[in-house]
Amino acid sequence: MSTALKAERLLRASAVLWYAVALAGLWAFGAYIVALYGVGLLGGDLGRWNRVLPEGHGYVHGDIRGNLALGAHLALAFIVTLGGVLQLVPQIRARAPRLHRWNGRLFLVAAVVAATSGLFIALTRGAVAGIYMTMGNALNAALVLTFAAQAWRTARARAFVRHRRWALRLFVVINAVWFYRLGMMLWFAAHRGPVGHTAAFDGPFDIFLAFAHVLLPLGVLELHLAAGARGGARAKGAMAALLLVLSLATAVGVLLVAMGMWLPRL
């Protein structure tokens, strides 16, 4: 087997490994959304929403418009979390193309509405995690809308290679809030405390993460796409090694978030 073919297979295997870890982590996040917010809605205990969200940002008595926007945002976040990972499964695309198309349409609509409703909540109810996080979320919403439009346009044009790239970019940015939690918990664990973090979310690490949780995963994706399309054996090998490290970091981050944030709140 040639070195180039070995590097290609290693890159593909490392990408599949990261995807498997991310799938488990995202579905755990989806289960958390249902267990906290869905159970509160179905049980008539909307005050349950305020276990995590600060005062004025969760369920607010009398604020019908804001509560509907929040409810829609949470429900669509669940749809995006579960439906997005299914879009990346090649077996579904090959064996159930109709399911792939309809799930893709649902994913696109849910992503757009989730992004715009989240931005609406931030602008009408104020910043939850500081002004820098609001700026990062605005950037994220703009990227979601841009990538969703490009994914739809290329799918309609049957330009499937370009469509896959835009869909991958959309998948990354729509899950930015998940990356945010992983990044924060990994940083705190590595430093054994909230180094660079303040209660107002304006510390050095807070400012960095406000934008890095969107741009850093997107940057890694672009490196992966470039290595796969134009990279030689060394570039593919280096990208595979990076994905292996990120797979481990993602797995540890999911465990930290689940044990430190999700389970204690249920």
Side-chain angles (χ1 to χ4, degrees):
M1 185 184 298
S2 67
T3 302
L5 184 56
K6 288 180 180 178
E8 180 70 31
R9 289 186 175 181
L10 182 59
L11 178 60
R12 187 180 299 113
S14 61
V16 170
L17 175 61
W18 182 85
Y19 170 78
V21 174
L23 183 149
L26 285 167
W27 281 15
F29 185 37
Y32 163 73
I33 293 173
V34 172
L36 182 63
Y37 300 104
V39 169
L41 176 62
L42 295 177
D45 181 18
L46 294 179
R48 185 181 176 91
W49 293 10
N50 300 330
R51 288 186 182 181
V52 178
L53 299 170
E55 184 178 356
H57 293 278
Y59 174 74
V60 179
H61 182 72
D63 183 12
I64 298 176
R65 184 177 62 175
N67 291 333
L68 287 175
L70 177 60
H73 181 73
L74 294 171
L76 293 169
F78 172 76
I79 293 174
V80 164
T81 299
L82 270 65
V85 291
L86 295 178
Q87 284 302 100
L88 304 186
V89 179
Q91 290 80 3
I92 294 179
R93 293 199 302 269
R95 300 176 184 176
R98 189 172 183 179
L99 172 61
H100 177 75
R101 287 194 298 270
W102 281 104
N103 185 61
R105 291 173 181 134
L106 177 61
F107 174 70
L108 282 177
V109 173
V112 169
V113 179
T116 53
S117 61
L119 187 59
F120 170 80
I121 293 168
L123 294 176
T124 56
R125 291 188 168 183
V128 176
I131 184 61
Y132 296 105
M133 189 60 184
T134 299
M135 294 168 62
N137 287 338
L139 170 64
N140 185 54
L143 291 176
V144 167
L145 296 178
T146 300
F147 296 164
Q150 292 285 25
W152 174 260
R153 183 182 64 82
T154 49
R156 294 279 293 175
R158 303 185 69 81
F160 295 125
V161 173
R162 286 185 291 140
H163 167 71
R164 177 179 174 274
R165 288 172 171 262
W166 287 113
L168 285 170
R169 292 173 180 127
L170 177 59
F171 173 79
V172 167
V173 295
I174 198 60
N175 287 303
V177 66
W178 181 71
F179 287 116
Y180 181 86
R181 285 161 171 78
L182 266 60
M184 176 170 284
M185 293 302 290
L186 283 169
W187 177 267
F188 287 177
H191 292 83
R192 298 184 180 182
V195 175
H197 167 71
T198 68
F201 287 85
D202 58 0
F205 177 68
D206 297 319
I207 298 173
F208 167 79
L209 192 60
F211 301 96
H213 80 289
V214 179
L215 298 177
L216 194 57
L218 186 59
V220 172
L221 172 63
E222 293 299 331
L223 289 175
H224 175 256
L225 293 175
R230 300 183 298 276
R234 288 186 179 181
K236 287 182 170 66
M239 191 67 227
L242 177 59
L243 285 175
L244 289 174
V245 172
L246 292 176
S247 296
L248 176 59
T250 302
V252 173
V254 168
L255 289 174
L256 289 173
V257 173
M259 299 301 294
M261 297 179 66
W262 296 340
L263 291 177
R265 293 167 174 172
L266 298 181

